[in-house]
């Protein structure tokens, strides 16, 4: 019996010794959980593998439980307790176990229950660190999961943002897509589409854009392009396509994942913005005062017009540079600080006769400007630029300064000198108000011409007529001659006043423009001149004339003066011939003519005669007021008709000129705008 006990004791010692040898030899962490005493024993692997010194490891099961990752605790405990409670023999699990440095290792933990009288009393197991083994597999799995999760999240985000998603399997060209994608590309929902949808609906002019994008994507793995797509209702929409090739382990592309977005609104906004910028550029270029933009807090110079470049004296090289770099002489002057304050406050700033030092041809000179800084805001209300408009008033300021010095120096001079100084000051003031007052002055002149000046002439003509009818017999030949001269002079004066009145009305009247048929205008003019045409034995040929953009009354005055002149300036005894025709103006010619409308095309109207003609050396002179190339004895007239024609053409943003050779007739050429 004693021998049997000793044998069992030896076997037990041998088993314990073997267990300890296995615990030391293995690279696993060996543990022994006494389920009755609720204690846990750990071998040296707890410190060697996981970095937990034996002195810091508790003896109870908490030494294991507390180091399980919080997200894994419930699952691990549930399974191990199920094995213990059900009397099962084996348990295993994979979970995360905290190491001594706070990081977590993936472990494969296996346990075996030892039972006594049908109840588990102990569980012995080993814990293997499989972190490194799982890295490649886990990385792959996580990558797949992340891709799937990302695709799901992206799809939700894409659909929520109004975009559509797609996945093309490259080996089969099968397309997996969201319902929104089909609607974005075709305008309608579709449950059956193929990859050809990207080709069938793209605008023909953008096919090359798509091809270039795919060629680049084969090299970079990323697909990006913007193109026009034609919907089933034939409407055109701008679409952005973004994609990413996905590769297998061998580096072969297996699928193309991406999204499509309708960016029509953005493109249209950009086009509107571009149009607005072009309009702004045109306004700045054509502004009568020096104008430029300072963009951003760095005050980058943009779109300076010729007047501003002339003010700065730097040339076009300043464009695109910061203001303080282009004009370093401004650094110690107040203007840069004022511009910074405008960006802070958003308040515009204006100052009259501000002194400014500018370098001209290497010399620092003093100038004076009336200038305005106005902040420009974008659609978000943010200031993105400042508009600078400046008028050089150096001459006025220096004149005023000279005047002030003169007043101080010669204050004791007589009243005549004071009167002259005051007169000069008033002249300067009147010069500044000239544009405002010119319209009123012309209106007053028109009133005087139509009432105050005509009334005396009518009386002269009336009394002259009475003298001729009542006292003709009592006047000798010389008296009758002088009376006839008075009547002729008064008639010429009346005609001249009427012409001046017509000319002034062209300047002061607010003109309404609309499409005007020149055929109707010429027909009415020829009807009014019917008697003159018959008396002068004139033959008039009128070609078909177009519709122009203008004022019917003013165009009637234009045609009446041109035709009247053609009738009047003829060779006596010769059949007079006049031809009225028109053609579309040559665009190359339009470009070189001044002050024409940029957005209108033009017609070229010609009034040709076989009359006496004139020397083209006097071409500019004939369009001036009261200029005549012939005496009144040869041809009647006030000398205002062609000046009136020029004013009418200027009011229509057109151009008038002529060709002529003495003795061979004339051709008057008028450029008038067409309706839009």
């Amino acid at each position: 019996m004693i021998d049997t006990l000793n044998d069992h004791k030896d076997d037990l010692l041998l088993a314990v010794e073997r267990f300890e040898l296995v615990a030391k030899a293995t690279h696993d962490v060996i543990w022994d959980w006494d389920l009755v005493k609720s204690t846990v024993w750990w071998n040296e692997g707890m410190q060697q593998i996981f970095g937990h010194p034996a002195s810091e490891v508790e003896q109870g099961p908490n030494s294991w439980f507390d180091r399980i990752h919080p997200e894994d605790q419930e699952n691990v405990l549930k399974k191990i307790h199920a094995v213990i409670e059900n009397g099962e023999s084996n348990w295993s699990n994979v979970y995360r176990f905290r190491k001594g440095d706070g990081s977590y290792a993936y472990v494969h933990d296996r346990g075996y229950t030892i039972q006594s009288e049908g109840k588990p009393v102990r569980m012995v197991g080993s814990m293997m660190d499989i972190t490194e083994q799982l890295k490649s597999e886990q990385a792959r799995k996580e990558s797949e999961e992340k891709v799937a999760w990302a695709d799901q999240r992206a799809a939700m985000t894409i659909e929520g943002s109004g975009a559509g998603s797609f996945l093309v399997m490259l080996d089969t060209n099968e397309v997996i897509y969201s319902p929104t994608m089909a609607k974005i590309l075709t305008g309608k929902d579709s449950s059956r589409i193929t990859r050809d949808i990207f080709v069938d609906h793209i605008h023909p002019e953008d096919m090359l854009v798509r091809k270039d994008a795919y060629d680049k994507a084969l090299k970079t793995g990323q697909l990006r392009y913007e193109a026009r797509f034609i919907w089933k209702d034939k409407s055109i929409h701008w679409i952005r396509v973004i994609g990413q090739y996905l590769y297998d382990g061998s580096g072969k592309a297996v699928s193309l994942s991406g999204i499509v977005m309708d960016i029509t609104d953005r493109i249209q906004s950009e086009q509107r913005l571009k149009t607005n910028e072009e309009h702004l550029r045109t306004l700045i270029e054509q502004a009568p005062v020096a104008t430029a933009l300072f963009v951003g807090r760095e005050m980058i110079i943009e779109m300076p017009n010729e007047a501003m470049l002339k003010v700065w004296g730097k040339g076009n090289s300043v464009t695109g540079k910061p203001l303080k770099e282009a004009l370093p002489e401004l650094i110690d002057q107040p203007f840069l600080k004022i511009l910074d304050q405008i960006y802070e406050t958003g308040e515009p700033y204006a100052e009259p006769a501000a002194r400014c030092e500018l370098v001209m041809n290497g010399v620092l000179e003093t100038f004076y400007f009336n200038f305005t800084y106005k902040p420009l805001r974008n659609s978000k209300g943010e200031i993105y630029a400042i508009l600078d408009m400046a008028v050089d008033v150096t001459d006025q300021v220096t004149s005023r300064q000279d005047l002030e010095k003169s007043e101080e120096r010669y204050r004791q001079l007589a009243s005549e000198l004071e009167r002259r100084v005051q007169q000069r000051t008033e002249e300067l003031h009147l010069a500044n108000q000239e544009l405002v007052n010119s319209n009123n002055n012309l209106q007053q002149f028109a009133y005087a011409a139509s009432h105050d000046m005509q009334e005396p002439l009518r009386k002269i003509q009336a009394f002259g007529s009475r003298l001729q009818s009542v006292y003709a017999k009592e006047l000798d030949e010389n008296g009758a001659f002088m009376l006839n001269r008075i009547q002729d002079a008064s008639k010429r004066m009346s005609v001249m006043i009427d012409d001046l009145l017509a000319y002034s009305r062209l300047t002061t009247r607010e003109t309404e423009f609309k499409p005007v048929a020149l055929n109707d205008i010429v027909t009415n003019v020829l009807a009014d001149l019917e008697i003159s045409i018959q008396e002068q034995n004139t033959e008039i040929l009128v070609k078909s004339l177009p519709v122009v953009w203008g004022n019917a009354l003013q165009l009637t005055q234009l045609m009446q003066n041109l035709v009247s002149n053609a009738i009047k300036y003829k060779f006596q005894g010769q059949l007079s011939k006049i031809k009225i025709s028109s053609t579309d103006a040559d665009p190359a010619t339009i470009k070189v003519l001044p002050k024409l409308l940029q957005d209108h095309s033009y017609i070229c109207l010609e009034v040709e005669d076989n009359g006496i003609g004139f020397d083209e050396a006097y071409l500019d002179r004939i369009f001036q007021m009261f200029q005549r190339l012939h005496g009144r004895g040869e041809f009647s007239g006030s000398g205002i008709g062609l000046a009136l024609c020029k004013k009418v053409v200027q009011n229509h943003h057109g151009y008038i000129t002529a060709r002529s050779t003495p003795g061979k007739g004339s051709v008057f050429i008028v450029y008038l705008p067409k309706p839009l």
Side-chain angles (χ1 to χ4, degrees):
M1 183 67 175
I2 294 175
D3 292 338
T4 302
L5 290 175
N6 287 334
D7 290 340
H8 284 300
K9 182 178 180 181
D10 291 339
D11 292 340
L12 180 60
L13 290 175
L14 180 60
V16 170
E17 183 179 357
R18 288 176 177 173
F19 179 80
E20 290 177 352
L21 289 173
V22 170
K24 291 179 180 180
T26 184
H27 292 291
D28 295 349
V29 178
I30 305 300
W31 50 269
D32 184 355
W33 182 6
D34 190 328
L35 299 177
V36 178
K37 298 179 179 179
S38 190
T39 59
V40 178
W41 172 86
W42 300 89
N43 75 338
E44 295 176 356
M46 188 65 161
Q47 178 174 351
Q48 295 172 353
I49 296 176
F50 295 132
H52 294 294
S55 59
E56 296 180 3
V57 179
E58 305 88 339
Q59 293 185 355
N62 286 342
S63 61
W64 168 65
F65 172 77
D66 290 343
R67 290 177 173 82
I68 299 175
H69 194 286
E71 296 178 0
D72 300 336
Q73 286 178 353
E74 182 179 355
N75 178 58
V76 172
L77 292 179
K78 183 178 180 181
K79 288 185 177 181
I80 197 169
H81 284 299
V83 170
I84 295 172
E85 292 172 0
N86 294 332
E88 298 177 7
S89 300
N90 297 298
W91 164 84
S92 68
N93 207 338
V94 176
Y95 58 90
R96 288 165 290 179
F97 191 78
R98 190 176 73 247
K99 300 168 69 174
D101 60 4
S103 63
Y104 284 88
Y106 277 91
V107 298
H108 183 197
D109 202 352
R110 294 154 295 178
Y112 176 77
T113 58
I114 300 174
Q115 299 186 11
S116 175
E117 298 180 358
K119 293 182 180 181
V121 295
R122 183 180 298 273
M123 179 174 280
V124 179
S126 66
M127 185 185 298
M128 179 185 296
D129 185 347
I130 61 172
T131 304
E132 294 298 327
Q133 300 175 11
L134 289 180
K135 270 188 177 180
S136 57
E137 180 180 354
Q138 186 69 15
R140 179 186 60 78
K141 183 177 181 181
E142 287 180 356
S143 176
E144 293 175 353
E145 291 176 350
K146 286 179 180 179
V147 168
W149 181 83
D151 285 345
Q152 182 181 9
R153 297 288 294 178
M156 295 173 60
T157 303
I158 290 167
E159 295 297 322
S161 66
S165 60
F166 66 87
L167 177 65
V168 179
M169 308 307 296
L170 299 180
D171 56 345
T172 62
N173 272 342
E174 178 188 0
V175 180
I176 302 172
Y177 59 93
S178 67
T180 309
M181 190 199 79
K183 190 168 185 180
I184 289 175
L185 296 183
T186 67
K188 291 186 178 181
D189 294 326
S190 176
S191 59
R192 297 182 63 186
I193 63 173
T194 66
R195 192 178 182 183
D196 292 339
I197 191 173
F198 291 98
V199 177
D200 295 342
H201 287 270
I202 196 170
H203 196 286
E205 296 177 3
D206 293 342
M207 289 291 290
L208 185 59
V209 173
R210 177 181 180 274
K211 180 181 180 301
D212 291 343
Y214 270 91
D215 290 343
K216 185 176 180 181
L218 291 176
K219 300 176 182 178
T220 65
Q222 295 183 348
L223 176 68
R224 288 178 180 271
Y225 67 92
E226 294 179 358
R228 292 164 291 177
F229 277 71
I230 303 174
W231 282 11
K232 292 183 178 180
D233 62 2
K234 304 304 180 183
S235 61
I236 297 176
H237 294 256
W238 278 94
I239 308 299
R240 171 185 284 177
V241 180
I242 301 175
Q244 175 73 49
Y245 279 110
L246 301 179
Y247 302 89
D248 59 16
S250 64
K252 177 184 176 182
V254 295
S255 63
L256 174 63
S257 176
I259 61 173
V260 295
M261 294 176 285
D262 190 334
I263 58 172
T264 305
D265 291 342
R266 194 208 75 192
I267 295 295
Q268 291 176 346
S269 297
E270 291 176 353
Q271 291 173 344
R272 287 193 297 269
L273 179 60
K274 183 178 180 181
T275 300
N276 292 338
E277 289 178 349
E278 290 175 351
H279 288 169
L280 177 60
R281 184 181 296 275
T282 301
L283 289 174
I284 290 177
E285 289 176 351
Q286 298 180 355
V289 299
T291 309
L293 279 183
F294 304 141
V295 180
R297 296 303 295 263
E298 294 184 357
M299 308 298 169
I300 304 300
I301 298 173
E302 294 290 346
M303 293 187 285
N305 63 5
E306 289 297 327
M308 183 62 83
L309 294 175
K310 184 177 179 181
V311 165
W312 289 337
K314 307 293 184 184
N316 199 40
S317 60
V318 300
T319 302
K321 294 182 179 180
L323 181 60
K324 64 181 180 181
E325 178 183 330
L327 284 78
E329 60 267 33
L330 297 181
I331 292 177
D332 295 328
Q333 300 182 56
F335 305 103
L336 296 177
K337 183 177 180 181
I338 293 171
L339 290 167
D340 283 334
Q341 289 176 346
I342 293 174
Y343 262 100
E344 294 292 339
T345 65
E347 296 294 331
Y349 182 88
E351 184 176 343
R355 177 171 176 162
C356 180
E357 308 287 338
L358 293 173
V359 175
M360 294 288 180
N361 299 320
V363 179
L364 189 64
E365 299 182 20
T366 300
F367 298 89
Y368 294 88
F369 299 97
N370 292 341
F371 75 91
T372 300
Y373 290 154
K374 180 177 178 59
L376 303 181
R377 300 178 183 273
N378 57 25
S379 58
K380 298 179 181 178
E382 301 167 341
I383 298 174
Y384 71 92
I386 295 176
L387 179 66
D388 176 19
M389 302 183 72
V391 179
D392 187 348
V393 293
T394 304
D395 292 340
Q396 293 92 321
V397 171
T398 54
S399 296
R400 185 179 70 246
Q401 291 173 345
D402 292 341
L403 181 60
E404 291 172 354
K405 292 178 182 179
S406 178
E407 288 177 347
E408 183 66 26
R409 188 181 305 115
Y410 304 107
R411 188 180 302 174
Q412 67 277 15
L413 290 179
S415 60
E416 178 63 20
L417 181 58
E418 292 179 358
R419 185 188 67 80
R420 291 182 180 180
V421 171
Q422 182 179 2
Q423 180 181 358
R424 177 58 178 160
T425 304
E426 290 176 354
E427 288 175 354
L428 290 173
H429 178 71
L430 290 175
N432 292 332
Q433 298 295 325
E434 181 178 353
L435 289 177
V436 178
N437 295 333
S438 62
N439 192 45
N440 294 332
N441 293 337
L442 286 173
Q443 290 179 345
Q444 293 172 4
F445 165 77
Y447 179 82
S450 61
H451 296 84
D452 300 343
M453 295 175 69
Q454 289 280 25
E455 183 60 26
L457 281 175
R458 283 194 290 269
K459 289 182 178 180
I460 292 172
Q461 292 172 341
F463 283 114
S465 297
R466 292 189 63 183
L467 284 172
Q468 285 180 328
S469 62
V470 177
Y471 299 101
K473 296 179 180 181
E474 300 179 14
L475 296 175
D476 58 12
E477 183 178 350
N478 189 41
F481 173 75
M482 287 188 290
L483 183 58
N484 286 334
R485 291 290 300 273
I486 292 172
Q487 287 291 80
D488 290 341
S490 64
K491 289 178 181 178
R492 288 199 306 273
M493 186 65 180
S494 179
V495 171
M496 182 175 293
I497 290 173
D498 288 338
D499 289 344
L500 284 172
L501 181 59
Y503 186 85
S504 69
R505 285 174 175 168
L506 288 177
T507 304
T508 60
R509 180 184 296 118
E510 292 185 1
T511 305
E512 178 183 358
F513 285 79
K514 61 183 180 180
V516 177
L518 284 181
N519 279 327
D520 297 341
I521 297 294
V522 172
T523 299
N524 294 335
V525 167
L526 295 182
D528 292 340
L529 297 175
E530 181 178 3
I531 295 176
S532 296
I533 295 171
Q534 293 175 355
E535 290 177 349
Q536 297 296 331
N537 190 25
T538 301
E539 178 182 306
I540 299 179
L541 174 63
V542 181
K543 299 286 188 177
S544 178
L545 301 176
V547 174
V548 298
W549 181 251
N551 178 270
L553 181 58
Q554 292 190 20
L555 292 174
T556 298
Q557 292 175 302
L558 170 68
M559 295 305 302
Q560 187 158 356
N561 277 279
L562 292 177
V563 176
S564 295
N565 281 354
I567 294 172
K568 178 168 54 176
Y569 294 104
K570 59 167 285 187
F571 286 110
Q572 296 299 325
Q574 175 180 318
L575 177 63
S576 173
K577 293 185 178 181
I578 300 172
K579 184 173 75 170
I580 304 173
S581 61
S582 73
T583 59
D584 289 335
D586 181 17
T589 303
I590 294 300
K591 288 183 179 180
V592 301
L593 296 179
K595 299 181 180 179
L596 301 187
L597 295 172
Q598 298 294 324
D599 52 352
H600 283 260
S601 55
Y602 278 73
I603 64 107
C604 177
L605 174 69
E606 294 187 354
V607 179
E608 181 179 358
D609 64 63
N610 64 341
I612 63 174
F614 64 89
D615 191 336
E616 289 189 5
Y618 302 105
L619 180 59
D620 292 335
R621 179 179 169 186
I622 64 174
F623 292 106
Q624 298 176 9
M625 294 278 287
F626 307 118
Q627 296 297 316
R628 302 171 56 89
L629 301 183
H630 307 279
R632 291 189 178 89
E634 297 179 83
F635 299 99
S636 62
S638 62
I640 298 176
L642 287 178
L644 185 144
C645 290
K646 182 177 181 180
K647 188 61 183 176
V648 169
V649 174
Q650 288 177 338
N651 287 350
H652 285 72
H653 303 282
Y655 186 78
I656 185 170
T657 186
R659 299 192 306 268
S660 184
T661 302
K664 295 186 178 180
S666 304
V667 180
F668 281 83
I669 305 165
V670 182
Y671 293 92
L672 294 172
K674 292 182 179 180
L676 288 175

